[in-house]
Amino acid sequence: MAHYILEPFKIKSVEAMPVTTRDARVQFMREAGYNIFHLPSRAVTIDFLTDSGTSAMSDHQWAGIMEGDEAYAGSRNYYHLRDVVKDIFGFDLFVPTHQGRGAEQVLFSIVTGPGKTIPNNTHFDTTRANIEARGAAARDLVIPEGLAPTNRHPFKGNMDVAALEKLIQQVGVANIPLAMTTITNNAVGGQPVSIANIRATKELLARYQIPFYIDACRYAENCYFIQQREPGYRDKSIKEIARELFSYADGFTMSAKKDGLVNIGGLLATRDPALFEQIQNRLILTEGFPTYGGLARRDLEALARGLVEATDEKYLAYRTGQVAYLAERLLESGVPIVEPPGGHAVFLDAKRFLPHIPQTQFPAQALTVALYLEGGIRAVEIGGVMFAQKDAATGNVTYPMLELVRLAIPRRVYTQSHLDYVAEVITKVYETRESVRGLKMVYEQARLRHFTARFVSTN
Ligand code: F0G
């Protein structure tokens, strides 16, 4: 039986949740072109589109909002954030950014360009797009276990270090301005990366003098998995683990909208003083002055407090436990998911869920439509719509290995009965899966097409 871990908080303020009829949902979905990104939130009952910027802030964070010192330069909230960044990550040189892709944009506009390659365990879509937009190549090098949905490897997010070395030899050190590891590895299921793998990646990169950057969005969840799963870390605190992990990094980008427990914000840090100077100059052009970086100072305060709250073990046990609970309930009903579940989301395996829909008809997208129609649940496709690559010369399309539907769980927002409802809706869709039809894409843009694409049913 699935076990639910007690929330280590009680609820002080509530927000009404829309409840709709099936007829209304059919209409909303048609108007949305069978793309959940086009749905208004008033049409959505349970919103699992993303765990990004959707957290509930604590009373302590809200109190911090009132203590915003809105000075353009040198706000006290900036100094507080600086102290927290130093304490958790051990970095002196950092800037706030408006969100994760703000950090990516600033970093990659400086270090990448045509002919360059940025390896990662798996790039998130905005990271890849920010690299490709500058004419550089983004390469994914996750271990093979990461792409096998039922392989219960404890660290499926790991970098394939041997493949990384091969890539370095192929494209040449001069063409790799930096290499990254994303923790947790969102695109393959929110899977963690072990500290041994981080260390091995660092050792390899150090031999070739290539800087090592971490995409740190969900670093606290990753550190919790290290504590629970990696030999030798059971008695270490989350902060101690984070300190060690980031000691191997030459820099990091972070969307603070995840493990920063805020609704907006990001960070960019480096150990390279010359690069930091360039970062500050670029930041002033596109984000803002280095002591606020595109954020209100009250937001810096909420972030400083949120970063500390996210390292709390009781919170992380509940957080990862909630994801594991939903996964367990679905497995009990025979629903195919990525196993083991990751830190922030349960991923449905659409290839096994809807084997009658070919990849050319976007099975994962079709599943997101079915979940919405059945119960007003908004989940997101991570499959062919997001990642298929079209060869410009031949027009041939290469589909990704995995067709997943991500149920990303906002932090501190939904309760056990919300999750029970979700499990019941998905089970119902699974029991009637033969009736789900594929989709035909009728509109797409060149980059990040999943946000704006429109479809019709193949009925
Ligand atoms: N890196 C990773 C691993 C991410 O998951 C995200 C965002 C970003 C970078 C970009 O950060 O949104 O603050 O600009 N992920 C969200 C998601 C959008 O739904 O997974 P951002």
Side-chain angles (χ1 to χ4, degrees), residues 49-52 99-101 104 124 126-127 182 186 215 217-218 255 257-258 406:
L49 170 56
T50 180
D51 63 319
S52 181
Q99 60 183 73
R101 71 199 72 178
E104 291 164 5
F124 182 67
T126 60
T127 323
T182 302
N186 185 8
D215 179 334
C217 299
R218 300 178 180 86
S255 168
K257 297 166 72 175
K258 286 83 167 172
R406 187 183 73 169

Side-chain angles (χ1 to χ4, degrees), residues 11-19 40-47 53-57 62 263 378 410-415 418:
I11 296 166
K12 186 176 291 199
S13 180
V14 298
E15 177 183 347
M17 193 174 76
V19 177
S41 65
R42 69 187 159 83
V44 177
T45 300
I46 302 279
D47 205 345
T54 52
S55 305
M57 292 209 297
W62 280 111
N263 303 117
R378 174 154 66 175
R411 293 167 182 78
R412 306 191 292 205
V413 171
Y414 292 110
T415 64
H418 291 123

Side-chain angles (χ1 to χ4, degrees), residues 242-271:
R243 273 293 194 97
E244 183 188 338
L245 194 157
F246 283 93
S247 75
Y248 303 122
D250 299 297
F252 69 89
T253 58
M254 179 173 183
S255 168
K257 297 166 72 175
K258 286 83 167 172
D259 281 350
L261 292 174
V262 286
N263 303 117
I264 195 75
L267 298 171
L268 171 57
T270 182
R271 295 196 201 279

